[in-house]
Structure formats: C-alpha cells, structure tokens
Amino acid sequence: MNAQEVISSPSRNTRTAATDANHFILTFENNRFASELFGQFDQHLKLLEQRLQIDARARGNSVSISGDLVATNQARRALDFLYARLQSGGTVEISDVEGAIRMAVAADDQLSLPTMERKAKLTMAQISTRKKTIAARTPTQDAYMRALERSELVFGVGPAGTGKTYLAVAHAAQLLERGLVDRIVLSRPAVEAGERLGFLPGDMKEKVDPYLRPLYDALYDMIPGDKVERAITAGVIEIAPLAFMRGRTLSNAAVILDEAQNTTSMQMKMFLTRLGENARMIVTGDPSQVDLPRGVTSGLVEALQILKGVEGVSVVRFKDVDVVRHPLVGRIVKAYDAQYAVHEESEKTDR
C-alpha cells in the first residue's frame, strides 16, 4: 500500500442501524506528493467529501477520513491510486480525482465472482505517449481503451464530452510512437451542424481543417506541436477528407473517422472497406446528433446494426454518466435524452 494506515476503527453508525461507519488516518511518505495529492487549499479532498459524502481532513502529509464504511474505502482506493500516479512521475488534476472517484465507486457496484475477492486497489487502463499519460476516468472509458488495444475495428458511440474522440487520437499517437503503425489518418465528413458555412477559401487542407479541429487539438495534447507539423508535412499524419477516401487501401495505419453519424450508408461501407493489413480503425460518433438531410439513413446507425456480433469488431457505448467535461454537460445530455424519449413515445402513440 502506498500510504500507511495509522488508525482504523470501524463502528456502527447510530443514525442508520444498517450502515457501518469507519474512521482511519492515511499517512503518505513523500510530503511534496501528499501536497499535490490533497490539492491546492485541499480542493481534491473537498471533492472527495462532496462526491462520497465523507469527512476528509488533512494535517501535514496525513489525511483523516471518516464516514460510511463503503464510501471511506472508496476514498482510500482513489487516494492510493492517485498517489501511485504521482510516484510514477504523473500529475494529479481535479479531473483525475473525478475519474478516480468514479472508478472506485464503479468497482463496488460491480458484482465479484464467488471465487474472487474484491480488489483493494484500482486498476485503470492507460494510454501513454511521450508527452502525456491518460488514465480511464469512467468504467466505459476503461472498456473503450481496452477494446482499442485488442480489436482492429472499434466503434465508440455516445454523447459529446465522453472522451471517445480524444482517446481514439491518443491511442493512435501511442501506436505511432511505439512503431506499431507507420502513420495516422484522420477523417471526418464535412457536414455542417445545422449551419450553412458557404464557400471556404484556401487549399484542401485549409478547407477541411475547421471540421478536423477537435482531432488536431487532441493530437497537440499527445505530441509536441513541432513534431505534429513535421509529421503532417511528411505525410505521417494525414488529413483525408472522407469524400476522397474511395479506392484507397489503408495499411500499417491508425485510421480515425470522427462524427461518423453524419456519413451516409454508402460512405460508411466505403470507409470500412479501406481497412488494410496491420491497420487499426476507430469510428466515433453520436447517433443522437445526425446532421444529414431528413430521410437520409445514418451510416453509423446502420453499421452498428449490420456489424453486430462480427468477429474483430468491438462496439463501446457511452452514456450521459460518462461525460467527463463540466458536470453540467452530463445533466444537459440527460435532459435532452429524456425529452427525445418523450417525443419518440408520443410519435409511436400517434401511429
């Protein structure tokens, strides 16, 4: 264990007979790491208190934790994981604390097999590049990252803010750095989200860049900016408009199709059949945000139905609880999904 447990005294909570209370003190050996772990003005501990409904009080390089037995053990696992992250040279931001809490809670929600003991420590899938290491922040992200490792074709579908595109680019950058692929190919349908942008000046790259900006942002997070520019110039990172992919075979490449809900059936089939030898393909999109003309079938929605159960294809579905942006984004997605469900039910009734 990374932290020394000084006190552990479980007792019965007098307010709720069915709930155990727990109190213990964790002491961390490295004072600097402990300070980073607790956060500026103990903001990380305050987040633990808020999310898990516990009491966490820091004193020097120790923290006293008390509250519900399950919640305090979740806090212990989260802190232990984050401290290990600091020991391995990583950093701990508020978003990392959020992720550790989610994973700690999820570990308790999952039923263990009868022959297995519940793990005392968190294990999260990670993606590492020279510039950054990313750990899963939700169970679905964990499943997605593991699917990216084992499958040649992965669909990541769900609402905005769940990290599906960001993690796809991070995985592609990792494959490139490890020499497992020779290049990264980024593609996205040039469909406007309910707007008419009109004529865009410049060459092909300049015309397509605005649509691929989210992919660029993720690339610059994973790879130093000067290397990204050199890689683009050398063709190691390629911007390939979806409309220009026909007739190609993509071998030894990590290929990403973003905003795939805006592909037509023919475009999706054309894209998927570009998969060549030693290639990895990642398709991301949100079926609830289709910007195609009314009556046009989304290639993503159709592909998810047609390829269900096909060997070598993994589908990971994100939900509103997986949103890792501002907490309000998750509540917005949930509210919209509820409203859409009401409309769909009303349409069925009218029929």
Side-chain angles (χ1 to χ4, degrees):
M1 189 174 174
N2 290 318
Q4 180 183 0
E5 182 180 321
V6 179
I7 299 175
S8 180
S9 54
S11 62
R12 183 67 63 183
N13 188 324
T14 57
R15 290 178 298 176
T16 307
T19 303
D20 287 329
N22 196 31
H23 172 250
F24 55 83
I25 297 174
L26 295 178
T27 299
F28 298 92
E29 296 178 359
N30 189 301
N31 291 337
R32 181 171 65 84
F33 288 166
S35 178
E36 292 182 42
L37 178 65
F38 301 158
Q40 189 174 19
F41 304 116
D42 295 337
Q43 62 175 341
H44 297 164
L45 296 181
K46 290 176 183 176
L47 183 59
L48 279 171
E49 290 182 317
Q50 179 185 354
R51 294 286 188 268
L52 299 177
Q53 299 299 301
I54 61 169
D55 184 69
R57 300 185 182 184
R59 185 171 184 179
N61 62 336
S62 299
V63 57
S64 171
I65 299 176
S66 58
D68 174 80
L69 180 60
V70 172
T72 53
N73 282 324
Q74 289 169 351
R76 184 212 308 263
R77 288 199 299 272
L79 288 172
D80 188 58
F81 171 79
L82 294 169
Y83 187 73
R85 181 186 177 98
L86 290 167
Q87 286 182 310
S88 63
T91 60
V92 171
E93 307 293 339
I94 198 74
S95 57
D96 299 313
V97 182
E98 283 272 14
I101 294 171
R102 290 185 191 218
M103 295 298 288
V105 172
D108 277 327
D109 289 342
Q110 294 172 349
L111 295 176
S112 300
L113 293 174
T115 56
M116 294 178 63
E117 294 182 2
R118 192 179 299 279
K119 293 182 179 179
K121 293 185 178 182
L122 292 181
T123 55
M124 302 184 192
Q126 293 187 342
I127 295 175
S128 297
T129 65
R130 293 175 187 173
K131 189 175 179 182
K132 195 169 188 177
T133 297
I134 305 166
R137 296 181 186 173
T138 72
T140 309
Q141 281 195 353
D142 186 80
Y144 184 51
M145 292 161 77
R146 295 180 193 279
L148 293 173
E149 285 287 342
R150 69 173 183 265
S151 300
E152 294 174 315
L153 173 58
V154 178
F155 287 86
V157 296
T162 51
K164 55 188 184 296
T165 300
Y166 188 81
L167 294 177
V169 175
H171 180 70
Q174 177 181 258
L175 292 176
L176 184 65
E177 281 194 356
R178 291 180 178 178
L180 299 177
V181 297
D182 296 332
R183 55 183 170 148
I184 297 173
V185 180
L186 307 176
S187 189
R188 193 178 189 186
V191 176
E192 297 134 348
E195 302 174 87
R196 294 298 177 203
L197 302 182
F199 173 77
L200 291 175
D203 59 22
M204 181 52 64
K205 179 178 178 300
E206 291 170 330
K207 291 177 187 291
V208 177
D209 273 359
Y211 297 101
L212 294 166
R213 182 48 51 189
L215 301 178
Y216 276 123
D217 291 343
L219 270 177
Y220 283 110
D221 263 5
M222 299 301 124
I223 306 172
D226 58 333
K227 290 188 176 180
V228 172
E229 296 299 332
R230 288 201 299 270
I232 291 174
T233 302
V236 174
I237 297 176
E238 181 184 354
I239 311 303
L242 181 58
F244 288 17
M245 295 281 283
R246 189 175 299 278
R248 301 184 60 187
T249 299
L250 302 173
S251 303
N252 300 308
V255 189
I256 299 173
L257 175 61
D258 190 32
E259 296 291 336
Q261 74 275 6
N262 290 327
T263 60
T264 64
S265 298
M266 292 303 296
Q267 284 177 328
M268 178 59 77
K269 180 182 177 182
M270 177 271 292
F271 178 80
L272 295 177
T273 53
R274 300 309 94 199
L275 188 67
E277 186 178 352
N278 191 40
R280 295 295 184 94
M281 189 171 279
I282 310 167
V283 179
T284 66
D286 181 1
S288 71
Q289 294 194 46
V290 177
D291 298 312
L292 294 170
R294 184 180 296 273
V296 178
T297 301
S298 167
L300 174 61
V301 174
E302 184 182 69
L304 292 174
Q305 296 171 345
I306 293 174
L307 300 179
K308 186 176 182 180
V310 173
E311 184 180 353
V313 178
S314 292
V315 178
V316 180
R317 297 181 184 274
F318 293 84
K319 299 180 180 178
D320 58 273
V321 295
D322 297 305
V323 173
V324 292
R325 290 180 187 167
H326 193 287
L328 182 57
V329 175
R331 297 195 290 272
I332 290 171
V333 170
K334 192 172 184 178
Y336 269 93
D337 286 346
Q339 186 63 26
Y340 289 148
V342 170
H343 283 314
E344 288 176 4
E345 189 62 33
S346 177
E347 289 178 0
K348 290 179 181 178
T349 303
D350 292 340
R351 292 171 191 168

